[in-house]
Amino acid sequence: MVKFLSLAHAVSFIAVAAALPFTLHQSDSSPSGFNSNTDASPAFKAALAGAASYSDRQEILFTNPPDASNITFTFINNTVTDGTGGTIALSTVNNFPALIGTQVAMAIGFVNPCGLNVPHSHPRANEFLTVIQGELVAGLVLEINDGSRGHVVGQPAPVDGPIPQVNVTLSNYKGMLFPQGETHFQFNPTCEPALFAAAFDSSDPGRTQIARNFFSNMPDEMLIAAAGSDLEVLDAKRIAEFRDNIPNSFVVIMEECAVKPPTKLTWYQMLEEEYILLDLDSRDWDSSVNTAE
C-alpha cells in the first residue's frame, strides 16, 4: 500500500529520486541469498518510500522502459554441501527495494538430508510454505491461551505440560500456512535434499529463533524461574553452555538422523529428544508419518 506524505515531503523525496543515477546494480552474493538485480542503496529506498502516488513510483522504478531490472530478483542457488543443514535465499525490503509498500516477501529454502529448520516464528508476517522438491515434515505449535490469568481465586488452575502441536508431511507441491507469530519448524527426514518456496504478507517479516531468544535473556535466575526453578534440571552452568552452543543458522543437522539412514518413523523421536517435547495424545498425526517406507 502506497504511503501518502505531505506535499513538502513528497516534493523533497521526488527531488532526491530525480537526482539518483538509477542504473542496473548487481550486488555481491551473500549467504542470505542476496542477488537482486536492482539498486538497493539507501537513497533509492528513500525515494520509493516517499513516492506519493503510483505514478511517482513508476517513474522511480522504470527509468528506461522496457528494462524491468528494478522489479526482478534472482535467487541464488544456495544448494549446500553435504554435512550441513541448509540455507535460505530471502528477498525482503532489505535487498529488494521494489517490495517497499507492497506487504510481500519471498524465500527459497534449501534443506539437506536430516536438516532441521529450527523452531522459529515471524513476528510481522503470515507464511505460506510450499515444498517443490523432496519432502519436509512441518510442525506448528498451537496457541493455547486461556487469558493468561494465572492462579485466580475460584478459577481453574493453569494446565502445565507441553502445548499441543499439529504436524504434516509436505511433498509434491503441498503447502502449509504458518500464522503470524506462531512457533513452527520444518524437518527433512529423508536421504534426499528438499527445496521449498515461502511467501510472506509483509515485506519485512522478521525471524525469531525460539531457543536462542529465550536463552539470551538475563539474568540467569530469571531463566531458571521461567523453566520451573528446578536447579537439577537447569542451573547457571547449563545456561552458559546453552548460550554458547545454540546455533544462529537457518537449518541445523539432526545428529541422530545423520548417523543412520533416516526414515519416516524416526523424526518424532529425534525431535522429542533434542528439540521439543511433544504430547502424542493431544494431536492427530498425518498417516504418512506413521507409515514405514
Side-chain angles (χ1 to χ4, degrees):
M1 180 170 54
V2 177
K3 297 180 179 179
F4 290 92
L5 305 178
S6 67
L7 179 60
H9 283 90
V11 170
S12 63
F13 272 115
I14 294 171
V16 171
L20 291 174
F22 294 125
T23 58
L24 178 63
H25 177 77
Q26 183 66 45
S27 297
D28 294 333
S29 300
S30 76
S32 66
F34 172 48
N35 195 22
S36 177
N37 304 313
T38 186
D39 183 354
S41 67
F44 187 72
K45 293 178 181 179
L48 282 174
S53 69
Y54 187 74
S55 295
D56 294 331
R57 182 180 175 88
Q58 284 192 142
E59 290 181 7
I60 296 169
L61 288 171
F62 309 113
T63 58
N64 188 30
D67 180 12
S69 297
N70 283 329
I71 59 168
T72 60
F73 187 94
T74 302
F75 287 95
I76 296 173
N77 184 345
N78 277 343
T79 302
V80 288
T81 57
D82 292 338
T84 58
T87 187
I88 192 168
L90 181 65
S91 66
T92 69
V93 291
N94 296 318
N95 57 5
F96 190 24
L99 297 180
I100 291 175
T102 65
Q103 304 303 310
V104 172
M106 187 75 185
I108 302 294
F110 303 79
V111 186
N112 264 357
C114 295
L116 170 72
N117 184 5
V118 297
H120 65 282
S121 65
H122 303 288
R124 295 180 294 277
N126 296 285
E127 174 185 4
F128 184 65
L129 181 148
T130 303
V131 170
I132 53 181
Q133 175 184 312
E135 181 177 296
L136 292 174
V137 173
L140 172 68
V141 179
L142 302 182
E143 180 178 347
I144 304 300
N145 185 0
D146 60 355
S148 301
R149 59 180 175 267
H151 295 275
V152 178
V153 175
Q155 296 294 327
V159 178
D160 294 328
I163 298 174
Q165 71 176 45
V166 293
N167 307 269
V168 67
T169 298
L170 303 177
S171 61
N172 299 323
Y173 312 109
K174 189 172 184 177
M176 183 174 180
L177 173 67
F178 301 104
Q180 179 176 343
E182 301 299 326
T183 301
H184 58 281
F185 65 88
Q186 297 89 30
F187 169 59
N188 182 355
T190 76
C191 294
E192 301 296 328
L195 180 66
F196 70 76
F200 302 91
D201 63 349
S202 168
S203 56
D204 187 20
R207 177 183 169 101
T208 296
Q209 298 201 177
I210 306 304
R212 192 163 190 258
N213 273 35
F214 178 74
F215 283 102
S216 293
N217 283 284
M218 299 287 281
D220 294 346
E221 290 78 10
M222 181 180 66
L223 294 181
I224 293 170
S229 298
D230 187 346
L231 294 179
E232 293 185 3
V233 175
L234 188 66
D235 58 18
K237 181 180 178 180
R238 289 187 176 90
I239 289 174
E241 292 173 350
F242 279 129
R243 286 196 178 113
D244 291 339
N245 291 287
I246 294 176
N248 188 35
S249 58
F250 156 66
V251 173
V252 297
I253 283 286
M254 297 278 282
E255 296 295 341
E256 184 175 338
C257 171
V259 298
K260 60 185 178 181
T263 70
K264 291 183 179 179
L265 291 177
T266 62
W267 76 270
Y268 158 70
Q269 289 88 346
M270 289 181 288
L271 284 174
E272 182 184 44
E273 293 174 8
E274 299 187 28
Y275 289 92
I276 304 174
L277 293 176
L278 305 178
D279 181 2
L280 277 172
D281 296 329
S282 63
R283 63 181 58 81
D284 293 326
W285 291 84
D286 184 89
S287 59
S288 63
V289 176
N290 294 313
T291 303
E293 289 183 323

